[in-house]
Amino acid sequence: MEKLGKNLQAAEIRNLFLTYFERRGHEIVHSSSLVPYGDPTLLFTNAGMVQFKDVFMGLQTRTYSRAVTSQKCVRAGGKHNDLDNVGFTGRHHTFFEMLGNFSFGDYFKEDAIEYAWDFLTKTLELPGNRLWVTVFRDDDEADNLWKKIAGIPSSRIVRMGEEDNFWAMGETGPCGPCSEVIIDRGEHVSCGPGCGLGKCDCDRWLEIWNLVFMQYLRDEQGNLAPLPKPSIDTGMGLERITSVIQGASTNFGTDLFMPITGKVQQIAGKNFETQDEVFASRVIADHIKACTFLATDGVHPSNEGRGYVMRRILRRAVRFGRILGIERPFLAELVPVVVDTMEGAYPELRPKEEHVRQILARDEEGFLNTLEDGQSRAGQMIAAAKKRGCQVLPGRDAFLLYDTFGFPIDLTKDMAREQGLTVDEEEFAAALEEQRNRSRKARRNVFHDAVELHELVKEVQPTVFTGYESLESQGEVVAIVAGNSRETEVEPGATAMVVLNKTPFYATGGGQEHDTGTLFSADGEQVLGEITGVAKTPYGVTFHHVKAVDSGPGIVAGQPVVARVDKRRREGLKRHHTATHLLHKALKAVLGDEVQQAGSLVDDCYLRFDFNYPQAVSDKDIELVQKLVNKMIMQDSPVIAYEASLEDARSKGAIALFGEKYDDIVRVVEVPGLSAELCGGTHVSRTGEIGCFMIGAESSVAAGIRRIEAIAGMSAVLKTLKMARNLKEISNTLDTGADNALGKIQGLKDTIDALEREIENLKTERARSIATSLFGDENSARKVGNRSVIVSRQDDMNPDELRHLGDLLREQGASVVILGSGKGPRAFLTVMVNLDLASAGVDAVAIVKKGAKALGGSGGGKKHLAQAGGKHFQEIDKALEVAAAEATAVLRGI
């Protein structure tokens, strides 16, 4: 492919772009995370404008009106999904970089077009006569500006329809026409006589830059109104423009990918000559970039959401590694190459390199354990479908592969495509959703119904929360819901969901459990009901789960009441919630800043904190975390809660959860110098109020996700006292002091270990003796020609001991060994076959299954070793004889 323009490396192109616009008044803004901040509707950042979305919507302001970025992007899930195309084309990627310049109500079409033309033809020195443009069919202004500024003739300006050249942020909101810059790569890559921009989609016409002119606001009826401050959003793929500058026929032939494919070739130990091999190396190069950047930004392989997409990408790369003959884990070896290639623009990669390697290695190793079986089963399913004359593999089959072998649908689709089949993705999605619905249903509790119940109270104003200032407030009953309908009263002894116009009760949310308490009459004298749960709808209406007292007057809509929170429970919740923030800080300090919260539960007597970490936390680190939290508690620092703009809170370092949606004004809970988090929960006023903190357990809850369970305050005091009592009782039992108890226990353990070893030695000697005696017992040692079948009942042996005896008998020359134990309440049968005979057709599984029928059970195993069990232990002698008869018959037949 012909090189065009300056001779530049990709890093130089990126830097030229940023500095070009910086000199023209643009603020260089570092790439945002691949996990969109505060936008749970989007799986990944998939364009440069994502981090400026609220600015374009008028919901946020910045200190600058012009910006330029090199944004890392992923398109591998949801609406924007290029995963299936990666490798099959030279242009599609899961991970790519988007160069973009932006104007927020500053300059518009004329300057945007002038900048684009000037950068392409003067900075990059691309030949102007090879550049074409497309404009929206009705955009005369853009058409005229391209002619005026660039001198492009009408013959190289193509008008396109709304599908190609009109951009919208959503069904409603900012939108406008766009103009694409296309480079003609030459007639030698033409698709034929009908080749032409707008007529075909061949490699001759390569889009390199898209200029979006946001000039309208679309309402719910689809009407367009002019925006008061038109804006500019542009995007140029770094990989594409680099392929043009470097004369590469595909993006994979550039210096952004060549070091990675070179390393893949080195690992595979061969040159890639066939089309399949080249294709596989491209897939791996693309996918390792995506996985490296995703892991750096806190995404871990899992079975849900972003983690599920990452796992699909990773496992697709593993499968294509096997096509290249790479049978061992290898993806972690590619991470340093990605880091070396990209860290100049993304310095966050280097500090997390080892962390990323561990994440990828762990998931790859887990997948390799099931990949071979999964591929074999997938091959059988595809072959069966072809035999039936089907062109489509059933989605249920694809789901079975996913559910049993961890096979992402992309791998099944790739294998099916290689055999000329497609996959019924709708049926797969339905089966997957059905499974997830079952899981959701299993996790449901009564308070999740608040979301559904909102339809019954949609005219009710959001409940005013007074619980930060007081544990008691006066209010009015504004709605009552029982079952699935609105009611006017709660009768004595009945339960219902009660809505107040204002409440001091905290509703379950943000990881913190709900308050409990009491509802009183307006004068605060008469108890009306007990509040056992609180939940809030997404629209701010709070439901109180109330049981009216049996002897009371009931509760009536419109009635004035006093709501009073249980102080003891609230105090416990506050202690454990603030302790959770301190734990988060301590984990980052001890394990590394890459630790990120993955979930939490705060109750009045304990807390649970989930976080991403690739391995079990050592006892030493647990102790360090525990000490650090208690040190922060003893500092008795103030805990300050205040409201701030989201931008200000972020700039001050306040921690926010990935995927959470935040309002423009957020609540920050800060322990000055220690911790700052966006949080709506309740907290102590000083850290000293927590009292003390103790970690009870550390465990794994999912791949790459660890869980700490801990207690604070009086819960920790009571636990400490209980442990002290237990230690004293243990010391008394051992007849020693508390300081010497551990040594005494270790001494006893050493004695027990020695005795157990002696017992095992005695069992081994006994087994050898039994084996020798069985060969001399004509009832046990049965000859079949020149071969011997040993049959014996050993009621005092368990299955492992039977197997050990069988090994000894085979070592001494037995052809087939049949051993049983019928002590009860369950019988066991073991069959072992000489390896040569097993290869010749004597199947231990077939023999053991014959005997298992007599026991009322079943059996299985391998040709040389099989075991069975059954409840009819009294039939063990019959089972042994039936199995012996089967073995004898088989031996006579070979």
Side-chain angles (χ1 to χ4, degrees):
M1 188 68 72
E2 177 186 4
K3 286 187 178 182
L4 298 173
K6 276 188 176 181
N7 185 19
L8 298 168
Q9 299 296 301
E12 293 175 305
I13 297 172
R14 186 194 297 115
N15 189 58
L16 281 171
F17 185 85
L18 296 173
T19 55
Y20 175 90
F21 284 98
E22 183 184 33
R23 294 192 189 104
R24 287 156 180 80
H26 292 64
E27 178 85 9
I28 296 180
V29 180
H30 187 67
S31 171
S32 64
S33 169
L34 284 171
V35 180
Y37 186 88
D39 189 353
T41 65
L42 201 58
L43 266 181
F44 301 111
T45 299
N46 54 29
M49 60 76 58
V50 170
Q51 68 169 308
F52 304 117
K53 183 175 178 181
D54 285 348
V55 182
F56 286 123
M57 295 284 286
L59 302 174
Q60 187 186 93
T61 59
R62 299 285 178 100
T63 57
Y64 45 83
S65 60
R66 299 180 175 203
V68 60
T69 66
S70 177
Q71 173 66 49
K72 50 192 177 185
C73 301
V74 164
R75 290 186 179 174
K79 177 182 176 183
H80 300 285
N81 184 1
D82 288 338
L83 183 58
D84 292 342
N85 294 317
V86 173
F88 287 100
T89 75
R91 308 292 173 211
H92 289 93
H93 302 286
T94 54
F95 174 89
F96 64 96
E97 294 179 75
M98 184 77 82
L99 305 176
N101 58 291
F102 306 89
S103 164
F104 312 120
D106 190 330
Y107 62 84
F108 197 47
K109 287 185 188 179
E110 184 167 1
D111 286 337
I113 289 172
E114 186 164 346
Y115 290 150
W117 185 255
D118 186 60
F119 180 77
L120 291 173
T121 59
K122 293 182 180 177
T123 303
L124 297 186
E125 298 180 4
L126 293 176
N129 62 353
R130 300 281 287 272
L131 297 176
W132 291 55
V133 295
T134 65
V135 297
F136 183 55
R137 62 186 174 219
D138 300 328
D139 196 352
D140 296 333
E141 182 184 7
D143 187 294
N144 292 328
L145 285 170
W146 280 113
K147 292 173 182 175
K148 170 188 168 184
I149 294 169
I152 296 180
S154 298
S155 59
R156 296 213 312 274
I157 299 176
V158 180
R159 296 198 179 221
M160 307 280 274
E162 188 168 340
E163 183 177 345
D164 295 298
N165 277 69
F166 195 91
W167 183 91
M169 191 174 290
E171 295 296 323
T172 61
C175 58
C178 60
S179 181
E180 296 176 346
V181 182
I182 314 291
I183 191 159
D184 180 0
R185 305 208 75 178
E187 291 187 6
H188 62 288
V189 288
S190 170
C191 61
C195 182
L197 183 57
K199 301 177 183 177
C200 66
D201 192 29
C202 73
D203 287 343
R204 175 176 179 178
W205 312 102
L206 182 66
E207 175 202 336
I208 55 175
W209 205 341
N210 187 18
L211 316 180
V212 177
F213 309 128
M214 273 191 256
Q215 64 187 93
Y216 300 115
L217 187 68
R218 177 179 280 157
D219 64 20
E220 293 179 353
Q221 286 71 45
N223 300 316
L224 299 179
L227 277 174
K229 289 186 176 181
S231 298
I232 291 294
D233 159 26
T234 83
M236 175 162 57
L238 177 62
E239 293 77 8
R240 287 195 178 193
I241 191 63
T242 301
S243 72
V244 172
I245 293 292
Q246 296 181 0
S249 58
T250 74
N251 297 351
F252 296 99
T254 68
D255 64 328
L256 289 166
F257 290 96
M258 293 294 283
I260 306 173
T261 53
K263 181 65 175 179
V264 174
Q265 188 166 294
Q266 178 186 332
I267 294 171
K270 62 180 179 180
N271 294 325
F272 301 146
E273 297 174 352
T274 69
Q275 185 177 355
D276 286 347
E277 289 173 337
V278 172
F279 166 67
S281 70
R282 289 175 177 177
V283 171
I284 294 167
D286 171 272
H287 288 9
I288 191 60
K289 288 180 78 172
C291 289
T292 299
F293 274 89
L294 285 169
T296 299
D297 281 352
V299 181
H300 289 247
S302 69
N303 290 329
E304 294 286 342
R306 298 180 177 102
Y308 172 60
V309 176
M310 180 179 177
R311 176 165 280 169
R312 289 168 60 189
I313 297 171
L314 186 151
R315 294 186 172 185
R316 192 167 187 256
V318 173
R319 188 204 164 229
F320 280 99
R322 290 176 76 87
I323 289 176
L324 298 176
I326 306 173
E327 302 287 333
R328 59 177 177 81
F330 71 98
L331 292 180
E333 298 175 47
L334 300 175
V335 173
V337 186
V338 177
V339 174
D340 290 343
T341 305
M342 307 295 288
E343 71 169 327
Y346 306 100
E348 63 267 26
L349 289 170
R350 182 65 69 185
K352 296 187 177 181
E353 179 181 341
E354 185 56 35
H355 173 69
V356 172
R357 286 174 60 117
Q358 291 176 9
I359 290 172
L360 303 193
R362 183 179 59 250
D363 201 69
E364 181 178 11
E365 288 165 6
F367 181 48
L368 283 173
N369 291 333
T370 60
L371 178 59
E372 189 168 337
D373 289 341
Q375 284 186 312
S376 174
R377 187 75 180 97
Q380 293 170 8
M381 289 176 170
I382 292 168
K386 291 182 72 175
K387 188 175 181 180
R388 295 193 303 268
C390 299
Q391 298 298 312
V392 180
L393 183 71
R396 289 278 172 183
D397 286 355
F399 177 74
L400 179 65
L401 292 170
Y402 163 75
D403 198 38
T404 306
F405 302 104
F407 236 52
I409 190 173
D410 312 281
L411 300 194
T412 306
K413 286 164 62 180
D414 287 334
M415 292 186 69
R417 178 161 44 187
E418 289 164 7
Q419 297 299 318
L421 271 65
T422 60
V423 176
D424 188 338
E425 295 185 60
E426 286 189 10
E427 189 177 70
F428 171 85
L432 183 60
E433 186 60 25
E434 183 180 321
Q435 182 196 58
R436 288 174 174 169
N437 283 337
R438 287 196 298 269
S439 298
R440 292 187 194 109
K441 188 174 181 180
R443 294 194 300 265
R444 269 181 83 100
N445 65 52
V446 65
F447 301 114
H448 287 99
D449 292 339
V451 177
E452 298 173 7
L453 293 174
H454 179 76
E455 282 299 307
L456 298 172
V457 294
K458 56 186 176 183
E459 87 286 356
V460 175
Q461 293 298 307
T463 308
V464 176
F465 179 62
T466 62
Y468 293 137
E469 300 83 23
S470 173
L471 296 183
E472 180 178 311
S473 69
Q474 292 184 330
E476 178 186 333
V477 177
V478 295
I480 297 172
V481 175
N484 292 315
S485 63
R486 284 282 288 270
E487 302 292 341
T488 58
E489 64 177 323
V490 186
E491 294 182 355
T495 60
M497 303 294 272
V498 175
V499 180
L500 307 177
N501 63 337
K502 58 181 179 178
T503 182
F505 282 79
Y506 184 86
T508 299
Q512 180 177 323
E513 287 296 288
H514 57 81
D515 287 324
T516 59
T518 310
L519 206 60
F520 292 87
S521 58
D523 58 9
E525 296 297 323
Q526 185 175 22
V527 176
L528 301 178
E530 295 299 324
I531 297 175
T532 58
V534 190
K536 186 165 72 172
T537 75
Y539 305 95
V541 175
T542 300
F543 285 101
H544 305 75
H545 190 266
V546 180
K547 183 182 188 302
V549 295
D550 294 333
S551 58
I555 303 167
V556 182
Q559 177 179 0
V561 293
V562 173
R564 186 179 299 161
V565 172
D566 181 329
K567 182 178 180 181
R568 184 174 178 178
R569 176 171 169 81
R570 169 67 77 85
E571 292 297 327
L573 288 164
K574 287 162 61 177
R575 289 189 183 96
H576 284 90
H577 203 155
T578 306
T580 301
H581 285 211
L582 299 183
L583 172 61
H584 194 182
K585 172 67 177 179
L587 286 168
K588 283 180 171 287
V590 174
L591 303 181
D593 199 50
E594 64 268 17
V595 167
Q596 294 169 356
Q597 181 174 343
S600 68
L601 184 145
V602 175
D603 213 331
D604 63 325
C605 56
Y606 78 103
L607 68 87
R608 196 173 70 206
F609 187 82
D610 297 344
F611 59 99
N612 64 292
Y613 197 64
Q615 61 203 31
V617 183
S618 68
D619 291 342
K620 179 182 176 182
D621 284 340
I622 287 289
E623 187 174 333
L624 286 173
V625 168
Q626 200 163 229
K627 286 180 178 178
L628 185 53
V629 173
N630 280 295
K631 182 179 179 181
M632 289 187 279
I633 290 170
M634 287 187 287
Q635 288 177 5
D636 196 27
S637 301
V639 181
I640 305 166
Y642 57 90
E643 290 189 340
S645 70
L646 180 59
E647 189 65 26
D648 285 346
R650 290 179 62 188
S651 66
K652 291 177 181 177
I655 296 174
L657 296 183
F658 278 134
E660 287 291 318
K661 183 71 174 176
Y662 295 101
D663 295 331
D664 289 339
I665 302 299
V666 294
R667 184 171 184 264
V668 181
V669 175
E670 181 178 359
V671 183
L674 296 178
S675 167
E677 298 194 21
L678 305 188
C679 180
T682 60
H683 291 267
V684 297
S685 58
R686 302 189 70 87
T687 60
E689 295 174 29
I690 297 171
C692 60
F693 172 85
M694 179 186 295
I695 293 176
E698 189 274 346
S699 60
S700 171
V701 291
I705 304 295
R706 308 300 300 181
R707 169 173 291 171
I708 281 180
E709 295 174 68
I711 50 180
M714 188 53 65
S715 295
V717 171
L718 295 174
K719 180 70 173 179
T720 303
L721 291 173
K722 182 179 179 181
M723 291 171 67
R725 284 196 305 272
N726 290 343
L727 178 58
K728 186 176 181 179
E729 290 176 12
I730 291 169
S731 302
N732 291 340
T733 302
L734 296 172
D735 194 24
T736 188
D739 292 341
N740 300 321
L742 185 59
K744 194 77 175 279
I745 292 170
Q746 187 61 53
L748 290 171
K749 186 176 181 299
D750 291 343
T751 301
I752 292 170
D753 289 343
L755 292 172
E756 286 179 344
R757 285 194 298 271
E758 187 175 342
I759 290 170
E760 286 302 314
N761 290 335
L762 290 171
K763 284 184 176 180
T764 299
E765 287 302 316
R766 179 171 176 268
R768 291 186 185 280
S769 176
I770 291 172
T772 301
S773 66
L774 288 176
F775 268 100
D777 182 0
E778 61 181 16
N779 290 325
S780 300
R782 308 175 187 184
K783 286 290 185 179
V784 182
N786 62 346
R787 299 185 177 94
S788 59
V789 177
I790 305 295
V791 184
S792 178
R793 174 175 176 173
Q794 301 290 332
D795 284 350
D796 59 346
M797 289 188 178
N798 62 36
D800 287 339
E801 290 167 344
L802 290 176
R803 180 173 173 175
H804 177 58
L805 176 58
D807 284 333
L808 293 174
L809 289 166
R810 284 200 305 180
E811 288 174 6
Q812 294 183 32
S815 302
V816 179
V817 176
I818 303 171
L819 303 173
S821 171
K823 187 177 181 180
R826 189 170 177 81
F828 298 100
L829 195 64
T830 297
V831 175
M832 303 179 76
V833 176
N834 174 284
L835 292 177
D836 291 337
L837 287 173
S839 300
V842 181
D843 188 354
V845 176
I847 296 170
V848 85
K849 284 187 174 181
K850 288 283 186 180
K853 289 181 180 179
L855 299 176
S858 60
K862 298 182 179 180
K863 286 189 174 183
H864 68 284
L865 169 63
Q867 293 178 303
K871 59 185 178 181
H872 302 321
F873 60 91
Q874 66 274 13
E875 299 293 334
I876 186 64
D877 291 329
K878 179 180 178 181
L880 287 167
E881 291 305 321
V882 169
E886 176 69 12
T888 301
V890 173
L891 288 173
R892 284 175 177 162
I894 61 173

